[in-house]
Amino acid sequence: MKVKVTMLNVKDGDAIIVELTKPKKALVMVIDSGDPTFYKNKMKAKLEAILKSHNKKGPDVVVCTHYDSDHIGGLIPLIQDYISEIKEVWIHKTPELLQGTIENEKPSENFGFSILHDLFKNLEIPGNTLIADKANMLLRSLPQLKRLIDLIPPSKLKQVFHKQNPLADWPEITILGPTKSYYNSLFPKDKTLEQFVLEEAIASTSSLTTEFNFVKKVIKNPCDSLKKDGETKLTATNKASILIAINKGTKRYLFTGDAGIESFKAVPDWQKELKNIYFLKIPHHGSNNNISKELTAIMQPMYAYNSGFKYQDDEVIQCFGFKKRNKEVKSTKTDGDLLFEK
């Protein structure tokens, strides 16, 4: 089996096309799609060329790892363009915690305004303007999720969890996470929408790096700069990311969405499952909030590719390159569109 990974430069978002080929058989999988502008201006043309090369009219599988706007936005027009040809869409349905709130809402710039007003009118938090922006972004992403799910025929929608091999013809593809129990624990039914939005917004802003330039910070031992368990803040939405493994013999390709340290350790037998990865899509755009020194020592990817911009922390990129097994680390931030084919 041949594996080809195209990772498009969509700033702090993911837009990944995976091609698997065997004699007389091919599979095209799209993993996230950035925001709608990137889909229209960049991804669609690339996807069309790839589909044509395999004599296909649409991707076989589309994956929404989680419902942040930078992952889900471009999937709406993609599904509209190709749903008649797509065989399956892997996505988690709206958590029960949030279902009633968005059931009758339509996406708009004013969606959730009253909720934001109630959240922040008596709240004194340093940087609360940024937190409010993040909360508003989350509230806008919820109707996007509803729109996307409404476009998918029930027969093609598949919720995937740990231990599943969703495609009978492609047993090389397996879902490592999340487990159903871990996923449900991230969205407790007794939590209010206000609590959920506020926690998500605060956690999201804590992971935003202040390094917006392209000058690398050289660190003597970059792995020592990575955070440890309990030192990070990460949104439940990111933690719920679908973890996809593709096994080519002994070589494991791992696609991580915006998963974090807790997500990886929630994978049953995680130390074995994550050991010596061949190709790693670095989680959450290279943020220091999503990976630890312990995890990098276990994963030790031979090839590590990142899709990031403002969220990218240099110590993360350098740490993966610091490992003896590593042959290559690349990022869309500095290298543009990435192609992996070995």
Side-chain angles (χ1 to χ4, degrees):
M1 180 179 73
K2 294 182 179 179
V3 182
K4 185 176 180 181
V5 181
T6 300
M7 188 179 296
L8 299 176
N9 180 13
V10 293
K11 303 297 182 182
D12 285 314
D14 280 0
I16 303 168
I17 305 171
V18 179
E19 301 166 67
L20 305 182
T21 56
K22 297 178 183 178
K24 299 181 180 180
K25 189 192 307 187
L27 181 132
V28 176
M29 174 187 292
V30 173
I31 304 176
D32 299 325
S33 190
D35 65 34
T37 302
F38 281 120
Y39 170 71
K40 178 181 178 181
N41 297 335
K42 172 168 284 195
M43 189 176 197
K44 185 173 182 178
K46 186 63 179 178
L47 179 58
E48 281 289 325
I50 289 173
L51 292 173
K52 186 176 181 180
S53 71
H54 294 289
N55 196 28
K56 291 178 180 287
K57 295 182 179 180
D60 299 284
V61 178
V62 174
V63 183
C64 175
T65 60
H66 64 294
Y67 59 82
D68 275 349
S69 293
D70 56 343
H71 293 254
I72 195 175
L75 289 180
I76 295 172
L78 185 149
I79 293 293
Q80 290 173 323
D81 286 344
Y82 296 107
I83 191 56
S84 62
E85 302 296 333
I86 294 169
K87 295 181 177 65
E88 293 186 0
V89 180
W90 300 350
I91 186 172
H92 292 141
K93 293 182 179 179
T94 311
E96 289 186 35
L97 163 66
L98 309 172
Q99 279 180 1
T101 306
I102 69 169
E103 189 63 32
N104 299 312
E105 296 285 353
K106 295 180 179 179
S108 73
E109 291 299 317
N110 296 320
F111 177 75
F113 177 80
S114 60
I115 294 175
L116 286 176
H117 181 266
D118 292 341
L119 274 176
F120 295 103
K121 65 180 178 181
N122 296 316
L123 193 62
E124 294 183 4
I125 300 177
N128 65 355
T129 300
L130 182 57
I131 293 172
D133 289 342
K134 289 292 180 180
N136 198 31
M137 184 182 299
L138 170 66
L139 289 166
R140 289 199 304 271
S141 74
L142 296 178
Q144 285 182 323
L145 177 61
K146 184 178 186 303
R147 284 180 61 196
L148 180 60
I149 290 175
D150 287 347
L151 290 170
I152 305 167
S155 62
K156 295 188 177 187
L157 190 152
K158 181 173 287 189
Q159 295 201 88
V160 293
F161 295 97
H162 169 69
K163 260 193 172 179
Q164 291 181 351
N165 294 91
L167 301 172
D169 290 342
W170 297 91
E172 298 88 350
I173 303 173
T174 186
I175 306 300
L176 293 189
T179 63
K180 282 187 179 180
S181 59
Y182 177 66
Y183 179 82
N184 290 334
S185 74
L186 297 172
F187 306 99
K189 298 177 185 178
D190 60 350
K191 184 174 288 186
T192 67
L193 175 67
E194 288 80 8
Q195 288 175 318
F196 178 79
V197 170
L198 182 59
E199 289 173 5
E200 291 266 302
I202 292 174
S204 182
T205 55
S206 72
S207 64
L208 185 59
T209 179
T210 56
E211 295 293 327
F212 291 173
N213 56 56
F214 289 83
V215 179
K216 282 190 176 182
K217 297 177 291 182
V218 179
I219 305 165
K220 187 175 182 180
N221 189 341
C223 299
D224 289 340
S225 300
L226 301 187
K227 294 180 181 178
K228 301 177 182 177
D229 292 8
E231 294 181 349
T232 64
K233 289 183 179 180
L234 197 66
T235 67
T237 304
N238 287 341
K239 291 177 184 177
S241 293
I242 297 171
L243 299 174
I244 303 169
I246 298 176
N247 301 304
K248 179 184 176 181
T250 60
K251 298 175 180 178
R252 169 160 284 184
Y253 294 67
L254 183 60
F255 299 88
T256 59
D258 284 356
I261 298 170
E262 182 182 299
S263 312
F264 293 117
K265 291 192 172 184
V267 173
D269 204 9
W270 63 274
Q271 290 175 309
K272 178 183 177 182
E273 295 286 5
L274 303 177
K275 186 176 181 181
N276 293 345
I277 300 298
Y278 179 70
F279 173 91
L280 174 70
K281 199 289 290 189
I282 299 174
H284 201 194
H285 322 301
S287 169
N288 197 349
N289 272 284
N290 295 67
I291 201 77
S292 66
K293 182 178 180 180
E294 179 187 20
L295 280 168
T296 62
I298 290 171
M299 291 179 171
Q300 295 200 62
M302 195 169 290
Y303 300 91
Y305 279 27
N306 186 55
S307 175
F309 188 61
K310 292 186 292 184
Y311 281 99
Q312 179 173 303
D313 291 308
D314 290 338
E315 58 268 28
V316 173
I317 305 302
Q318 292 176 28
C319 177
F320 282 115
F322 200 68
K323 303 298 180 184
K324 290 183 179 180
R325 286 185 80 247
N326 188 264
K327 294 184 178 180
E328 185 177 66
V329 180
K330 286 188 174 182
S331 173
T332 57
K333 180 177 179 179
T334 51
D335 301 303
D337 295 345
L338 303 176
L339 175 64
F340 181 82
E341 186 178 19
K342 300 292 182 185

